[in-house]
Amino acid sequence: MTLADHIDFLDDWNRWFDRGEPFAAFRVFADDDALAHPDGAARAAKTWLQKNSGRMQALVLGMATVVPPAHFDRLSRMDAQKLFGVPARTFADIGEALDWLETAILKPKAIPLDRAAIHASLKTLGQDLGRSRERT
């Protein structure tokens, strides 16, 4: 990922916020490279979060992040809930992440989770579902 890619990603978040509709975030980091940040990304993310923390807290119902198992111990110690101000958890398993999103975040608000659509998107992106206990 380049710094321009990272800024485009933050712009995607802005477009989601601009809709004014609550949503849940499901982020999957497929490999080590996906976790690498280019120079300047941390500064850009911090500035963006300072500007958008109110919109994040108002519109993001919850955030599940799936990371490669080799990085789970380190990344699960980061307090994403405190950082983003929304319910957030880190997982090493796609199925467990979807279970948490569905049970803790969406069901209480009577919002259905379309697992088939999520798995189709992951397959399109080339995500290895082999590390998930769920199969489509």
Side-chain angles (χ1 to χ4, degrees):
M1 176 183 288
T2 66
L3 182 57
D5 293 334
H6 183 76
I7 291 170
D8 286 345
F9 173 71
L10 297 176
D11 287 341
D12 286 339
W13 276 88
N14 287 332
R15 283 188 284 282
W16 296 329
F17 290 154
D18 290 346
R19 293 179 188 168
E21 301 170 0
F23 64 94
F26 179 63
R27 306 179 317 156
V28 178
F29 293 89
D31 55 30
D32 295 349
D33 291 339
L35 292 169
H37 297 291
D39 288 340
R43 185 179 311 113
K46 182 178 179 181
T47 299
W48 177 87
L49 189 55
Q50 287 171 338
K51 287 182 179 178
N52 290 286
S53 64
R55 295 199 312 165
M56 180 164 286
Q57 292 170 10
L59 296 172
V60 178
L61 303 172
M63 183 182 306
T65 302
V66 181
V67 299
H71 297 276
F72 176 75
D73 286 337
R74 176 178 57 89
L75 295 174
S76 66
R77 287 191 293 266
M78 292 176 43
D79 192 345
Q81 187 160 325
K82 183 177 179 181
L83 176 65
F84 297 114
V86 300
R89 291 205 34 209
T90 301
F91 301 87
D93 181 89
I94 291 167
E96 289 177 11
L98 290 175
D99 288 347
W100 177 79
L101 267 180
E102 184 172 40
T103 303
I105 304 302
L106 300 175
K107 269 190 181 178
K109 296 180 181 340
I111 300 171
L113 178 70
D114 188 345
R115 288 174 184 252
I118 292 167
H119 282 293
S121 292
L122 291 172
K123 282 182 182 178
T124 299
L125 295 172
Q127 172 60 40
D128 177 15
L129 296 177
R131 65 183 173 105
S132 173
R133 61 180 167 75
E134 290 198 349
R135 304 285 186 253
T136 57

